Amino acid sequence: MVKIGNIELPEFPLLLAPMEDVSDPPFRRLCKTHGADLMYSEFISSEGLIRDAMKSRMKLDIFDYERPVGIQIFGGDEEAMALSAKIVEAVNPDIVDINFGCPVKKVVCKGAGAGVLKDIDLMVRLTKAVVNSTHLPVTVKTRLGWDDDSINIDEVAERLQDVGIKALTIHGRTRAQMYKGEADWSHIARVKNNPRINIPIFGNGDIDSPEKALEYKNRYGVDGLMIGRAAIGYPWIFNEIKHFFATGENLPAPTIEDRVEAARNHLKWSIEWKGERVGVFETRRHYTNYFKGIPNFKEYRQKLVTGDEPQDVYNVLDEVLQKFGESQPA
């Protein structure tokens, strides 16, 4: 069993990564339904929370059915991070997570996300400010370093553990790599094998199949895996990995019926959470992924992303089921 503070997780947990414009409550609900053990919110600006920005506040929405769930914050100011942790604590998540890994320029330019990788002392001060301002367990997600010449994850892991974090997720790329090239998990394994480290170490980067999940579990010895992009439009990956670990066999691929059901639920739950107009609009970005690889699907994809009313989209999903569905794997 893996523990983050007083949060008990399965022996080898699978975590859903915090992804901007993706990891909202409807998406998290789908992933939870299909086997995710721990999920994180989209990252939330500490400055936005303090200013009471509506978009930031909405990201604080969590629901009991998705527990355990963490809320992730980012920022470059100690006072703002401490105050935002208190605001987060008020909605009673299970975990507060700090983002020191986002490589996006608009975040890095504010001295936040992966921008903090250039200044470990600041990273430690920001982390300590959050740990001291909440009774919830604090976790961190970060990268190997700023670039290949400044990989500092060993020092980062020890110092963040020393100021009180309860788990660390490491993405096996530097900021300079963004999402390109291959994630280098050898650095993650070194942190895990450091005798000074006694908190759970989770690996992140490039896990896109049950086979790779098992290979990385065995090769690098981490305490669990965090899955991000591979779950977009494919929430089945969590249960597929668990089944493969248990049996050495692959589950059947999701059928058209499975895919339509996931898309339908995603839209339904988005409308319930965001309202009709925003729910319909913001779910559009997911349809391509749900129906990836299906031949001759272009016409239906176009209909799905242009329907303005919920019923329009549901009708297209019915058409998809009628044309492509015979319980055959897609």
Side-chain angles (χ1 to χ4, degrees):
M1 183 182 294
V2 173
K3 290 189 76 172
I4 300 177
N6 59 351
I7 308 299
E8 294 183 350
L9 297 172
E11 185 181 340
F12 191 82
L14 301 179
L15 288 62
L16 173 66
M19 294 178 283
E20 177 69 353
D21 293 330
V22 176
S23 301
D24 59 11
F27 181 75
R28 297 199 303 264
R29 186 172 179 179
L30 271 169
C31 291
K32 182 73 173 183
T33 302
H34 292 286
D37 296 307
L38 172 63
M39 297 174 295
Y40 288 98
S41 69
E42 302 171 77
F43 69 177
I44 306 173
S45 161
S46 55
E47 305 284 354
L49 273 182
I50 293 166
R51 288 197 314 269
D52 204 22
M54 187 179 292
K55 188 175 182 187
S56 294
R57 288 279 174 165
M58 196 171 179
K59 289 179 182 178
L60 290 176
D61 286 353
I62 55 174
F63 301 90
D64 282 340
Y65 57 71
E66 55 182 335
R67 293 187 184 278
V69 61
I71 289 180
Q72 188 186 74
I73 55 176
F74 74 94
D77 178 82
E78 292 167 60
E79 194 176 339
M81 287 291 278
L83 185 53
S84 65
K86 287 186 180 298
I87 295 169
V88 165
E89 188 178 82
V91 303
N92 196 31
D94 299 287
I95 292 167
V96 177
D97 189 67
I98 306 172
N99 181 312
F100 289 139
C102 178
V104 176
K105 190 175 180 182
K106 68 178 181 179
V107 173
V108 169
C109 286
K110 294 177 182 173
V116 185
L117 288 166
K118 289 181 170 181
D119 188 343
I120 300 180
D121 290 341
L122 174 60
M123 184 187 287
V124 171
R125 292 198 306 273
L126 291 168
T127 304
K128 190 174 182 181
V130 172
V131 169
N132 290 347
S133 67
T134 178
H135 75 278
L136 295 169
V138 175
T139 60
V140 165
K141 182 170 189 278
T142 190
R143 288 182 171 233
L144 302 178
W146 181 258
D147 56 26
D148 285 342
D149 297 323
S150 57
I151 290 175
N152 51 20
I153 191 60
D154 303 86
E155 179 185 354
V156 164
E158 288 192 5
R159 293 183 65 183
L160 296 189
Q161 176 181 268
D162 289 347
V163 294
I165 69 167
K166 301 301 182 187
L168 177 65
T169 300
I170 305 168
H171 182 107
R173 289 181 173 86
T174 63
R175 189 274 169 173
Q177 280 182 273
M178 301 295 283
Y179 294 98
K180 295 173 184 170
E182 193 173 332
D184 185 349
W185 284 55
S186 65
H187 299 287
I188 306 176
R190 194 174 60 248
V191 172
K192 173 59 193 168
N193 291 325
N194 179 346
R196 273 209 64 211
I197 297 296
N198 52 45
I199 58 173
I201 301 296
F202 302 121
N204 174 230
D206 296 346
I207 299 297
D208 57 6
S209 70
E211 291 82 0
K212 185 175 275 190
L214 184 60
E215 178 194 347
Y216 279 37
K217 172 182 185 284
N218 293 337
R219 187 193 296 182
Y220 299 110
V222 292
D223 295 295
L225 303 175
M226 179 177 278
I227 296 166
R229 289 173 291 168
I232 299 175
Y234 204 86
W236 303 278
I237 190 166
F238 299 98
N239 276 337
E240 287 184 354
I241 289 172
K242 289 180 175 181
H243 185 81
F244 190 76
F245 283 2
T247 67
E249 297 175 356
N250 285 302
L251 282 172
T255 62
I256 289 294
E257 286 83 352
D258 296 330
R259 292 169 183 269
V260 167
E261 181 185 25
R264 186 183 288 277
N265 283 335
H266 202 152
L267 175 59
K268 176 174 175 280
W269 296 335
S270 292
I271 290 169
E272 287 172 358
W273 182 56
K274 304 173 185 176
E276 274 196 11
R277 184 174 169 276
V278 178
V280 169
F281 178 74
E282 292 196 353
T283 311
R284 286 175 176 174
R285 66 171 74 99
H286 294 278
Y287 297 129
T288 297
N289 292 301
Y290 282 126
F291 299 104
K292 200 172 189 175
I294 297 174
N296 307 313
F297 197 77
K298 187 176 180 182
E299 173 194 346
Y300 297 93
R301 185 180 299 115
Q302 188 62 27
K303 287 182 183 179
L304 286 169
V305 300
T306 53
D308 290 325
E309 299 295 328
Q311 197 56 52
D312 296 339
V313 182
Y314 290 135
N315 289 343
V316 178
L317 290 172
D318 287 340
E319 286 180 44
V320 169
L321 199 55
Q322 195 172 2
K323 179 169 176 62
F324 298 97
E326 288 179 351
S327 296
Q328 297 300 314

